[in-house]
Amino acid sequence: MRDAAMPGAWRHYRPSQAMIVVILTAIIFVTLSAALPGFLSVGNLFTLARGISILGILGLGMAVVVIGRGIDLSQIAILAVSAAIAVSLINAGLPEGPSLLIGLLIAVLAGILNGFLVSVIEIPPLFTTLASSLLLLGLTRALVVPHYQVFLEHSSDTLQALGGTVAGGLPVPVIVFAVCALLLHLFLSKTVLGHFIYAHGDNAEAARLAGIATRPLTMLEYGLSAAIGYVAGVVMVASTSLMHLQIAESTMIFDVILVVVLGGVSLVGGRGNVMSVIAGTLLIGVLLNAMTIMNLNIQVQNVIKGGVLLFAIVFDSYLHPRDDETAKQGD
Amino acid sequence: MRRLWYRISPQLLIGELLEKRWMEPAVPFLLMCAIFLAFVVAIPDYGSIQQLQQLMRSFPEQALVAMAMALSILSGGIDLSVGAVFAMANFIALYLAMVLELPVSVAFAGALAWGALIGAANGGLIAYAKTRPFLTTMVVLIVVRAFYELVTVAYATDLASAYVDNAAWDFVGIGDLLGVPVNMVCLLAVAFAAHFFLTRVKPGVHIMAVGSSRKAARHAGINVRLSLFLAYVLSGMLASFAGFLYAARQNSAGTDTGVGWEVNALAAAVVGGISLAGGRGSTSRALIGAAIIFLLINGLVQLGTHGSLTTASIGFLLLLAVGFNVKFVKHKSKILQKIYVSPTLVDFTPPPSIARDSGTVFAENDRLLDVEPIALGKIEGPEDVILDRNDNLYTVNRNGSIIRFLAPDYEIREEFARIGGRPLGLAMDKDENILACVAGMGVYGVRPDRSVFKVTDETTRSRFRLKDDSRLLLADDLDVAPDGRIFFSDASTRYDLADWALDGFEGRGNGRLVCHDPRSGKTSTVLKNLAFPNGVCVAHDGQSVYWVSTWLCRIYRYWIDGPRKGALEVLVDNLPGFPDNINRASDGTYWLALVGLRSPVYDLAMADPSFRVRMVKQIPPDEWLCPGINYGCVLKFNDKGEILESLWDPGATNHPTITSMREHKGYLYIGGLENNRIGRLPLPDADPGWTSWDSYYGDGTTPAAVTAPAPARKAG
């Protein structure tokens, strides 16, 4: 973005990673349209868009944390837990609004807890979020949701609308994704706090010395990630009337990391933006959809995704090498 | 009561405990015992032999996976793929042994080769492609897991229908050796080998070195990448060995085999006290950690706890252990620093006045005002001075050497010998060897031909004390008895020379009086728990040793010979300053240096240990109250404990920190720990022919004998 520069500088134009990914996506898209029957149908495209948008929303949340040089492996667990609790509350007869608000509160608190552990106790983010997802999931299953899934027994129109389509067949989740992306873009690029997050990820120590309160900032990052994740969770519930806790044990979190890393939000922090997430989302969404159409089973899909993610990580550490003599465990 | 509390301070115990290397694994070990005992109480028959055998049979696989995890963490990374590698190795061993009906050894080799392969993939990516260990191995975990699910589904019927009667296979799975399950024996053997590898074999030590500090390892010439690569290969092989044992024992490859084991292994390694920063930990800690997690899960299951609560507790334990680990590694030295200084109670009575017009013997005067400086600016910290029979002057220098100034004008300076350490007190033995107490080293000697020899550097270790005090930490001053025994003070066993003022601040009896007997070559502690024993001097009659306790401001007499041998008495109490070296005077009395002066504030602080505890905890060390050691004087006392006279340097511009003085042929030579000069003061009343060496070893005809009361010198 920064180097997409002035007129006359075109000879020095180097496409950003997001741009490359978008072009790559376009090529794959065209290839798949030609090769796979049924890929380029309006129905499939809307399915694709619906699937993509949830991944995209999650990717936005993850991007906030990754830009701040962290990672949130507990995002899906927080999503599942908070959404499941919200659904349980609605089932128990509580009005929809307060229930959803309580769910949001739980999600944000869990995120802030992550941020606290990372910034104050100084547990590396990977360990923190790995352990906190186990803790949250275990507690929720033991205390609130004894079975793996909760069905939304009676849904209101507003909630159903969130999972439906608008006129023309465009799925509402896509609109939610767009709104989230726009808001986050404004937050990251136009507000002081957004710039602080970049500074924090670029060089946490320098940011701290410059007077940024990095501890509350970390809590904000993780809280934001959890909150955005919760939005995705509500959209999921609205679409399927169901929250299944097992998604927290699935490989969904890796899809999210894949989206973020492929798009160009480097794990070294301080790099990338909302465009990167959108680009990554498009690529992964197309791939996932293609694999589903090709009727590959989950395991094969995992092997392929794993391969792509490994490639992405190697590529990322090649593009943005880190100093492994000063790196800390769990970076 | 209060005195007793401060004497055997629990803080002291904790402080010294924290310094012990075995303290860190001790905590998880106790935790393990506590968990086991808790379940023995809570679950009937938990401690029975059968139950124990059952536990031992299912423990090894998890322990091996935990060791695999521990190995990767010790190398500074992490290997999350261990659970999946374990599961896949289980399948491979089963397939080779049961479906293909190959010998057990082939199944074993196949499983290990698989582990090595995945380890090589991990290691290659992490060490050579420089990817992040956590994410890399996590992705490998997913890929391998997916692969495992694919093959187990594909070969499910083959595995289910296969049945081979293979004695060796069954022996590995369910056999015993002397009542101990075979896999437990395997685990112990592997653990022992791994420990040996990591601590005694070069590649293993290199792995630990890389984990401790990658940069230092690289600078030391270690092939960092190869070591990392090796660590992951070995980690994969350990996990696959666990898979092989599991295959032999269970004969099945279920869908949930090995699921979540990497988290358990991670928790085990961290709970066992293996630092996530790498390089800190051991195989035994991994085993202890694995036992804690294993017992916890096993016990909770037996108690019928909800499975998800077990998961939650693992997550919680992981957070707790990592948090504690991170904080402990970060703050250990700080905690130790805060807790190490453990002040005790010292009750002073107000000292005699030193005011000029007070009329006491300590009254300030100007007698050191016009002391002639020798070697001004040519010497740094002459703690002690001594002269040989040719009037040459020897002193110690801060850089660890003995410096000689040649008679008669002491203008020519030469380095007589280099010992190292920080030489302090000096003495001369019968053969005119110079003996020196060297802080941090012990007692050393220099022969007249300048060769250095060691007298002693250790003493008997005191029993029932955590800290190993067999080394001499701060040998301070010494003297030689008529029979050749060397008595010297080891001023503190808790602080070295750089922190000597802290010892005073603590006011505790940390020092000791030590005796080295050259005839037997043995060194033994004579008196212990002394508050900074400093100057040591053998009395003129050779029957007792005078020594001072600097922080208690006392002179003691310890009888080393004669009818009262072994008795200890306080000769002078309540000096107005902190006494240092003692040396003989020509008139049968003794010179005593005061290194600093007491002050009412300091005395008050010494009487209130809790005040000093607060000070240590709340303000930085350079602002702590310190003994006032910038003003000193020289005293003279006799065998009856009477102070005869005092020599002062008002303003202390010439000789602030007087630590020693030595009389020689009618002159007094003055040294100081921090001074840049040696002072020389003519003593008009003194015997102009008296030398210290003659006093100790002469034939008894020196004029000093006239005034000294019955000097019983031995010619031998």
Side-chain angles (χ1 to χ4, degrees), chain B residues 78-137:
Chain B
I78 196 167
D79 186 356
L80 288 178
S81 69
V82 284
V85 170
F86 158 81
M88 192 68 198
N90 170 42
F91 170 80
I92 289 173
L94 275 181
Y95 184 75
L96 293 176
M98 307 298 282
V99 180
L100 300 183
E101 300 188 15
L102 292 167
V104 175
S105 56
V106 176
F108 178 67
L112 281 200
W114 159 255
L117 178 75
I118 294 299
N122 281 330
L125 285 169
I126 292 162
Y128 292 98
K130 289 192 167 186
T131 57
R132 288 146 212 280
F134 198 108
L135 281 177
T136 310
T137 54

Side-chain angles (χ1 to χ4, degrees), chain B residues 606-628:
Chain B
M606 293 309 282
D608 188 355
S610 56
F611 162 74
R612 282 175 287 150
V613 169
R614 279 206 308 282
M615 172 153 62
V616 170
K617 290 203 171 134
Q618 289 172 7
I619 61 178
D622 52 348
E623 291 178 14
W624 290 352
L625 193 63
C626 249

Side-chain angles (χ1 to χ4, degrees), chain B residues 59 62-63 66-71 74 265 268-270 272-274 281-292:
Chain B
F59 174 60
Q62 302 197 15
M67 270 167 60
M69 175 66 81
L71 183 66
L74 284 175
V270 177
I274 291 174
S282 65
T283 316
S284 55
R285 291 197 203 180
L287 287 185
I288 292 172
I292 290 174

Side-chain angles (χ1 to χ4, degrees), chain B residues 371-697:
Chain B
V371 169
E372 171 199 357
I374 296 177
L376 185 61
K378 289 184 191 169
I379 191 84
E380 222 192 327
E383 207 268 349
D384 201 357
V385 289
I386 199 162
L387 294 100
D388 68 6
R389 293 210 287 177
N390 302 322
D391 303 339
N392 295 319
L393 177 71
Y394 299 84
T395 186
V396 293
N397 202 23
R398 192 193 297 283
N399 69 347
S401 46
I402 306 285
I403 304 291
R404 173 160 75 177
F405 292 95
L406 294 178
D409 53 2
Y410 305 115
E411 283 298 316
I412 301 171
R413 172 193 195 269
E414 60 181 11
E415 186 178 60
F416 183 62
R418 180 157 172 77
I419 301 175
R422 172 67 165 112
L424 297 172
L426 297 172
M428 201 172 269
D429 72 2
K430 192 162 177 301
D431 305 322
E432 294 190 60
N433 299 322
I434 290 178
L435 303 174
C437 277
V438 186
M441 287 172 72
V443 179
Y444 285 74
V446 186
R447 297 189 187 90
D449 67 359
R450 297 181 169 200
S451 57
V452 176
F453 62 97
K454 182 176 91 180
V455 177
T456 181
D457 63 355
E458 57 183 359
T459 178
T460 43
R461 180 176 176 173
S462 52
R463 287 178 200 184
F464 311 118
R465 183 157 175 209
L466 279 171
K467 192 178 171 102
D468 182 355
D469 56 2
S470 56
R471 292 280 145 184
L472 301 172
L473 194 58
L474 185 45
D476 201 318
D477 192 26
L478 74 172
D479 208 359
V480 186
D483 57 0
R485 282 183 293 169
I486 299 169
F487 285 89
F488 62 95
S489 55
D490 188 24
S492 173
T493 50
R494 275 166 57 78
Y495 297 92
D496 53 17
L497 185 62
D499 290 329
W500 75 290
L502 277 192
D503 190 88
F505 188 69
E506 192 170 282
R508 188 175 287 282
N510 297 324
R512 53 200 168 167
L513 190 68
V514 188
C515 171
H516 173 76
D517 192 339
R519 288 165 302 190
S520 63
K522 288 218 169 91
T523 310
S524 57
T525 305
V526 184
L527 297 169
K528 58 182 181 182
N529 299 334
L530 315 177
F532 214 85
N534 201 327
V536 174
C537 182
V538 174
H540 283 282
D541 62 3
Q543 302 240 319
S544 55
V545 167
Y546 293 115
W547 60 272
V548 301
S549 166
T550 298
W551 307 135
L552 299 184
C553 305
R554 283 180 186 157
I555 307 171
Y556 289 87
R557 188 210 304 247
Y558 175 70
W559 296 86
I560 57 168
D561 222 340
R564 299 196 59 198
K565 183 175 177 180
L568 175 70
E569 62 189 28
V570 176
L571 189 71
V572 181
D573 198 359
N574 205 23
L575 289 165
F578 302 109
D580 207 293
N581 287 0
I582 314 173
N583 282 312
R584 288 185 186 177
S586 60
D587 56 359
T589 59
Y590 306 89
W591 296 108
L592 170 71
L594 290 189
V595 67
L597 289 184
R598 284 162 59 184
S599 68
V601 174
Y602 193 72
D603 287 3
L604 200 61
M606 293 309 282
D608 188 355
S610 56
F611 162 74
R612 282 175 287 150
V613 169
R614 279 206 308 282
M615 172 153 62
V616 170
K617 290 203 171 134
Q618 289 172 7
I619 61 178
D622 52 348
E623 291 178 14
W624 290 352
L625 193 63
C626 249
I629 49 172
N630 49 4
Y631 202 91
C633 90
V634 175
L635 299 177
K636 200 179 206 185
F637 69 96
N638 64 13
D639 283 313
K640 291 182 202 138
E642 297 159 348
I643 306 293
L644 303 173
E645 56 178 317
S646 59
L647 287 70
W648 289 92
D649 175 19
T653 44
N654 294 323
H655 293 278
T657 315
I658 301 177
T659 52
S660 75
M661 67 277 109
R662 182 93 51 181
E663 185 179 338
H664 185 82
K665 291 190 177 170
Y667 286 94
L668 192 65
Y669 296 84
I670 299 168
L673 180 66
E674 307 283 342
N675 296 350
N676 65 346
R677 71 193 77 190
I678 294 162
R680 184 158 84 149
L681 177 74
L683 296 171
D685 305 332
D687 172 2
W690 187 90
T691 69
S692 174
W693 193 88
D694 285 333
S695 164
Y696 280 83
Y697 314 107

Side-chain angles (χ1 to χ4, degrees), chain A residues 71 73 113 117 120-124 126-132 134-139 141-143 146 215 251 254 257 261 266-268 297-300 302-303 305-307 309-310 313-314 316-318 320 322 324-325 329-331, chain B residues 72-73 76-78 80 125-127 129-136 138-140 142-143 145-147 149-150 214-215 218-219 263 266 270 276-278 306-309 311-316 318-320 322-324 326-327 330-331:
Chain A
I71 198 161
L73 297 182
L113 176 73
L117 291 172
V120 179
I121 313 285
E122 292 170 352
I123 305 178
L126 283 163
F127 294 100
T128 305
T129 51
L130 182 72
S132 71
L134 288 180
L135 185 62
L136 282 174
L137 217 57
L139 282 181
R141 279 204 55 212
L143 304 177
R215 283 177 169 176
T251 56
F254 299 102
I257 295 174
V261 174
S266 170
L267 290 169
V268 295
N297 64 26
I298 290 285
Q299 283 80 23
V300 176
N302 277 346
V303 172
K305 276 191 300 194
L309 187 51
L310 265 190
I313 292 173
V314 172
D316 183 46
S317 61
Y318 171 74
H320 311 291
R322 64 189 187 124
D324 48 19
E325 283 184 0
Q329 173 70 275
D331 272 358
Chain B
S72 59
I73 293 178
I78 196 167
L80 288 178
L125 285 169
I126 292 162
K130 289 192 167 186
T131 57
R132 288 146 212 280
F134 198 108
L135 281 177
T136 310
M138 198 171 224
V139 176
V140 170
I142 292 166
V143 173
R145 188 81 220 170
F147 203 59
E149 279 162 15
L150 281 177
R214 195 175 288 210
K215 196 171 190 175
R218 181 167 61 76
H219 289 178
V263 179
L266 180 62
V270 177
L276 284 173
H306 198 294
S308 46
L309 264 189
T311 319
S313 62
I314 295 288
F316 184 68
L318 187 59
L319 276 181
L320 207 66
V322 180
F324 179 75
V326 167
K327 285 292 176 200
K330 191 175 169 192
H331 294 299

